[in-house]
């Protein structure tokens, strides 16, 4: 099986090469036999990549240490689930994993479009195959997971303990699923550019794929934050590290695209811009992979410095040149069909949403690449850290949060004063009340106050939309509230799913604003001694050390400290933090000791305990952090994912009236003042 | 019609201009030189204000020089880039990955008495996701796979 897998990798490469060649040729010469052959070859590529992956999984699960990859990332005493997930734990395997997802997506795209978009498909197939050629070739020549050692070690070196975490088993696949899904819209964009069929047709085909990408990136980023928070022990979840930024960039441009696509659907505007966003999202996803793999930018996350960095740089440049050429030669076909009519319109709100999202993306990109830029321009590497990203992105983020509330309320084309008054009166009041309430409770941090005011505003807009929609259904259909609510969402998935995503964003911002009130204490505790600290809500906590214990567990030796945490009005609770020394199957220590943090979660705050070390026999050196509202980050992420799923869920193809509907509701009435039935996000 | 467009563009320029202004000033305020020990030594020779200026230094820990204070909260060690060796002291959370011969990035100030006082310490494995044992590292296959950089 392992040998079959190894050979399959090479066959897949040949198949992809054939597919790309005949698909482009068939599309240009309009020969359906070549096109069909190209599609079959792409299906075959998928089959062979699957074989290659099964081969590697077989090697990992049977611990075939003659493969360098298996020997470097697993050991015989590693739990099976981590042997399985070691597939994407290392450079070479993760490249193959990338190929696997891309091949899978390609096959799904071909199958879903076997009867539709026939004009575009040859070029879509060709572009996808071309991307596959790049990734397969990089895997086969640059980072082959089937590379063998010239001797067979008795045991492997095991998986880094920080990766032995359930979050780490599912975080990378989610990010990859998100990154790779940007390839499909990119392929459609290239196909639309080549064939000059730049109307809304290709957009409809890519909207769902953009959502897939957005959804997986959202889940992946949230899981990444969670992993960093529970595993790395520095008390935070986002450090503006280049690798984190790399995952945020395609998310930002992808989000911008999901908004601007609506303007093109509705008004035929922003055609150049949409092509640009699709291409930019793909390129940023590739750039993200490049940053993670090349070691060109200092990051604690980097894989080994490796030669495949230059492969990526080459591919990136090639992709930029090709798309720039295609866009430049087709500018005429990309002219807008309508113009912006008023600053007070939904178009304008969406456009500003795009400006801000792209502005954030640009500043993040600039800050991430600044060491390279400054070295090239001024000859010395200058790095920027969290203060840079916070200074720039907090104001932009708050502006974006405000627009989240404005966009859905304002009418298309031109909003009237009456429309504005009717829609905004309650939400503005809601926001101001919440802001004032926090001020009265003693909150004095400016950004936090603005955040919570805006959060109140946006939440009220969303609530108002749901109340209106449910009310309308109750009047027209006489339904009970829960049924009206479910039907409302079910019948307008894009609109109300979008509102749910917006609510997730509000929850996230509320959580981010809570960071301003974080409190941290470093201390040493002998057994039985206590420490009293005030939390951000001015409540007094007492921590009493229950002593230090040492014991062995599975594949590790553990040193643990247990604290009893008490505050008035809460039953005493124990929190434990561990230092783990992992050992191999012969009992020899492997890796550096790792820290397991202890977290006492609640809606208001996390109490976060880190054991630094032990002095003498029993004195624990610890750090206690009060992290307000961290819980909200995870739930904000979950709410966004649920909203995303609702938006993506295929709309029933026939509504009750028998009219065919696409992914959104078709509205016959003229724009401007109309009941809330047009498409949301 | 054209007026709305002009207004929009002006608004956009305002937003992006503010962002650009913030970016430019905060790079000035928070940007830090990223230097190797050799570069840092050369810089302070040319311009003594580089003493006591916050910089980041990337280098490799010299094996056998790590002295941990009891309790695991402070540490001193030497780092080198092959040309210059600089002693470093650090108080704070020592990362799990910190050990002999790892590449570290320290942020802090270079004292006039020749010690680098670090306020943050980041350690990375040659690859954080890899842990090739010493005996593999001497095999030709391993060396070949790591490329000339290693």
């Amino acid at each position: 099986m392992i040998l079959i897998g190894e050979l399959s990798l090479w066959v897949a490469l040949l198949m992809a090469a054939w597919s790309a060649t005949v698909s482009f040729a068939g599309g240009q010469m309009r020969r359906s036999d070549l096109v069909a052959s190209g599609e079959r070859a792409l299906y075959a590529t998928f089959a062979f990549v699957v074989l290659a992956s099964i081969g590697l999984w077989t090697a990992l699960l049977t611990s075939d240490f003659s493969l360098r990859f298996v020997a470097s990332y697993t050991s015989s005493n590693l739990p099976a689930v981590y042997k399985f997930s070691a597939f994407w734990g290392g450079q070479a395997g993760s490249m193959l994993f990338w190929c696997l997802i891309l091949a899978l997506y390609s096959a799904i795209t071909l199958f879903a479009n076997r009867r539709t978009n026939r004009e575009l498909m040859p070029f879509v197939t060709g572009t996808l195959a071309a991307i596959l050629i790049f990734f397969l070739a990089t895997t086969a020549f640059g980072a082959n997971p089937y590379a063998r050692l010239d001797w067979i070690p008795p045991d492997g070196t095991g998986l880094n303990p920080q990766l032995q975490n359930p979050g780490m088993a599912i975080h990378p696949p989610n990010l990859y699923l998100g990154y790779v899904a940007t390839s499909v819209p990119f392929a459609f964009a290239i196909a639309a550019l080549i064939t000059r069929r730049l109307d809304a047709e290709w957009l409809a085909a890519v909207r769902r794929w953009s959502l897939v990408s957005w959804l997986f990136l959202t889940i992946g980023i949230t899981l990444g934050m969670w992993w960093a928070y529970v595993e790395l022990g520095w008390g935070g979840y986002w450090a503006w590290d280049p690798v984190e930024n790399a995952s945020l960039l395609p998310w930002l441009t992808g989000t911008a695209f999901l908004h601007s696509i609506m303007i093109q659907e509705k008004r035929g505007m922003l055609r150049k811009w949409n092509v640009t966003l699709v291409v930019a999202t793909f390129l940023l996803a590739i750039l993200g992979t490049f940053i993670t793999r090349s070691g060109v930018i200092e990051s604690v996350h980097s894989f080994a410095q490796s030669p495949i960095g230059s492969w990526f740089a080459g591919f990136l440049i090639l992709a930029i040149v090709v798309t720039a050429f295609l866009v430049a030669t087709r500018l005429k076909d990309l002219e807008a069909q309508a113009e912006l009519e008023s600053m007070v319109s939904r178009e304008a709100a969406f456009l500003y949403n795009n400006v801000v999202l792209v502005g954030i993306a640009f500043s993040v990109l600039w800050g991430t690449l600044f060491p390279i830029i400054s070295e090239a321009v001024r000859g010395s590497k200058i790095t920027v850290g969290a203060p840079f990203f916070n200074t720039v992105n907090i104001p932009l983020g708050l502006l974006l949060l405000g627009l989240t509330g404005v966009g859905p309320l304002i009418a298309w084309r031109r909003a009237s004063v009456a429309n504005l008054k009717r829609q905004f009166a309650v939400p503005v009041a809601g926001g101001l009340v919440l802001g004032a309430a926090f001020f009265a409770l003693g909150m004095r941090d400016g950004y936090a106050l603005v955040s919570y005011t805006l959060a109140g505003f946006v939440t009220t807009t969303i609530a108002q939309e749901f109340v209106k929609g449910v009310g309308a259904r109750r009047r027209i259909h006489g339904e009970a509230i829960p049924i009206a609510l479910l039907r409302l969402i079910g019948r307008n998935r894009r609109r109300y799913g979008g509102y749910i995503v917006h609510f997730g964003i509000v929850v996230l911002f509320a959580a981010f604003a809570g960071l301003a009130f974080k409190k941290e204490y470093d201390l040493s505790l002998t057994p039985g001694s206590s420490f009293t600290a005030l939390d951000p809500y001015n409540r007094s906590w007492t921590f009493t050390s229950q002593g230090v214990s040492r014991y062995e567990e599975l594949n590790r030796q553990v040193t643990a400290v247990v604290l009893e945490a008490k505050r008035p009005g809460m039953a005493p609770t124990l929190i434990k933090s561990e230092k783990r020394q992992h050992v191999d199957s012969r009992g020899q220590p492997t890796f550096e000791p790792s820290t397991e943090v202890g977290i006492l979660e609640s809606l208001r705050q996390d109490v976060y305990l880190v054991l630094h070390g032990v002095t003498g026999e029993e004195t624990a050196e610890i750090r206690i952090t009060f992290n307000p509202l961290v819980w909200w980050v995870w739930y904000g992420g979950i709410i966004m994912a649920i909203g995303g799923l609702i938006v993506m869920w295929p709309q029933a193809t026939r509504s009750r009236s028998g009219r065919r509907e696409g992914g959104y509701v078709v509205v016959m009435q003229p724009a401007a003042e109309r009941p809330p039935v047009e498409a949301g996000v | 019609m054209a007026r709305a467009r002009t207004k929009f563009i002006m608004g956009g320029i305002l937003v992006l201009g503010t962002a650009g202004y913030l970016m430019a000033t905060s790079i000035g305020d928070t940007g830090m030189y990223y230097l190797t020990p050799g570069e840092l030594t050369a810089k302070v020779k040319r311009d003594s204000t580089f003493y006591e200026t916050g910089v980041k230094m990337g280098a490799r820990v010299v094996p056998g020089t790590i002295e941990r204070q009891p309790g695991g909260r402070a540490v001193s060690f030497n780092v080198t880039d092959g040309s210059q060796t600089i002693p470093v002291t650090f108080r704070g959370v020592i990362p799990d990955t910190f050990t002999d011969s790892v590449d570290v990035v320290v942020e802090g100030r270079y004292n006039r008495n020749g010690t680098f006082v670090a306020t943050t310490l980041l350690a990375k494995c040659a690859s954080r996701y890899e842990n090739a044992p010493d005996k593999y590292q001497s095999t030709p296959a391993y060396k070949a796979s790591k490329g000339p950089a290693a």
Side-chain angles (χ1 to χ4, degrees), chain A residues 73 151 153 155 157 160 227 298 339 351-352 366 380-383 388 591-595 612 615 621-622, chain B residues 5 8 11 23 26-27 30-34 56 71 73 93 96 99 127-131 133 136 139 145:
Chain A
Y73 295 102
W151 59 295
D155 194 358
T157 53
N160 187 321
W227 173 76
E298 284 301 325
E339 278 226 340
L351 284 172
Y352 277 113
W366 184 257
S380 49
K381 257 192 193 175
I382 295 176
T383 61
F388 166 81
F591 298 100
E592 289 305 298
S594 66
T595 312
H612 289 322
T615 322
E621 307 281 344
I622 52 177
Chain B
R5 193 184 167 132
F8 169 77
M23 278 167 67
S26 62
I27 280 189
T30 70
M32 268 190 184
Y33 277 97
Y34 183 91
K56 274 187 182 176
R73 193 149 308 151
V93 183
D96 289 344
T99 181
S127 155
R128 208 186 74 183
Y129 303 136
E130 247 170 72
N131 185 40
Y136 290 23
T139 61
S145 75

Side-chain angles (χ1 to χ4, degrees), chain A residues 61-85:
Chain A
L61 290 169
T62 57
S63 294
D64 182 344
F65 295 127
S66 66
L67 297 191
R68 195 174 63 82
F69 184 78
V70 179
S72 326
Y73 295 102
T74 63
S75 55
S76 41
N77 68 344
L78 192 70
V81 57
Y82 295 122
K83 283 185 183 170
F84 185 81
S85 70

Side-chain angles (χ1 to χ4, degrees), chain A residues 626-637:
Chain A
F626 293 104
N627 278 325
L629 303 182
V630 171
W631 193 87
W632 293 42
V633 176
W634 323 138
Y635 286 85

